[in-house]
Amino acid sequence: MTSTEVAVIVFLRCPKPGQVKSRLARRIGADNACSVYEECAKRVLRRMHGIRGRARCFVFYSVAEEKEEVGNWLGTIGCSALIEDMCAQKQSDNLGDRIIDAFRVVRGKGYSIIGIVGTDVPELEGCIVEKAIDAVLHASEETKRSAAVLGPSLDGGFYAMIVDCCGMSIQEGALDGIPWSTDAVLGETSQALGRAGYLVVSSEDAGIPSLRDIDEFEDLCEWYRGANTLSGEDALRDVANNIISDFA
C-alpha cells in the first residue's frame, strides 16, 4: 500500500499561553505549560513529517480563525510541507465528534488506512505509527475485516488510533459516551470500535509500546527522569529542567 492510501492526522492546538495544557498550567503557569506543549508538538510533527513517504500527514488545527497563524508556526519549525494539508477541526466540545469528523474528511480525500495522533506524547516516534499501520494492514488482510489499533497511554488513554476505513468508516456517534480525560478512555474506545464492527488488534500484538502523555506536572517529572539519562541536545528536556527546578 502506498502513501497515497495511508494518512496520519495530527490534532494540534496553536501554541498560545492559556489555550493549551490547562491541567499542567494550574501547577506551573500558562507560559510554562505552553512551552512544554510547543516543544512536544514540534517533536511529534517533525516525526510525522518524517514518515510522509509512507503516510500523508494532515494537520487539523483547533480554531478555524488561526489557520494563518498555525501555518506560519509550521514554517518556523521546518514543517512547511504540511501547510498545504491543514484542515480545521470540527467545532465541537466532544472529542469523539472531532475525531470522527476528521476521519470523514480524510476518507473523502481517498485515504483508506487513517491514523490520528495527539501532540503531547514526546516519545511518539514515526516508526511506532508505522508499526501500527502494518498491524492494521496485516489483520485486515488476514481476517477480511476492517481492523483498528490503539496506541495505549500510561494514564489509561490512547496516543494513536489507526483504522482501516476501506471497508467501512467510523459512523457518527460511534464514540459517544467515552469518558475523555479519565483512565477508562482506552478500554471504552476499544469497546466502542468493537461495537462498530472493527477488529481491534491489541497493542501487544501490534508490537507498539505504552507511552506517557504530559498532562500533569507529575507526568513532566516522570518523563524528565528518563530523558535526563540520554545524551545529546533536547529542547524539551531543557525546558523541563528549568521548570522542574522552579516548581519541584
Side-chain angles (χ1 to χ4, degrees), residues 123-176:
E123 297 311 309
L124 178 57
E125 301 274 0
C127 61
I128 295 173
V129 175
E130 290 186 284
K131 271 191 176 183
I133 291 168
D134 288 338
V136 166
L137 284 168
H138 178 74
S140 293
E141 290 168 0
E142 287 289 308
T143 65
K144 309 305 179 186
R145 292 179 58 190
S146 292
V149 170
L150 295 170
S153 300
L154 291 172
D155 63 0
F158 62 88
Y159 59 80
M161 176 194 292
I162 314 294
V163 178
D164 178 0
C165 296
C166 185
M168 61 181 183
S169 298
I170 306 176
Q171 297 300 307
E172 185 175 351
L175 300 181
D176 284 356

Side-chain angles (χ1 to χ4, degrees), residues 90 92 94-104 161 169-180 188-189 191-198:
K90 179 180 180 179
S92 171
N94 186 314
L95 178 57
D97 286 347
R98 300 201 303 273
I99 290 173
I100 290 173
D101 184 71
F103 271 81
R104 178 190 60 78
M161 176 194 292
S169 298
I170 306 176
Q171 297 300 307
E172 185 175 351
L175 300 181
D176 284 356
I178 303 296
W180 303 108
E188 293 286 341
T189 305
Q191 291 178 33
L193 290 172
R195 288 193 298 270
Y198 290 93

Side-chain angles (χ1 to χ4, degrees), residues 224-240:
Y224 178 73
R225 289 188 187 100
N228 201 34
T229 64
L230 304 176
S231 60
E233 295 183 4
D234 188 321
L236 178 58
R237 186 176 61 198
D238 293 342
V239 167

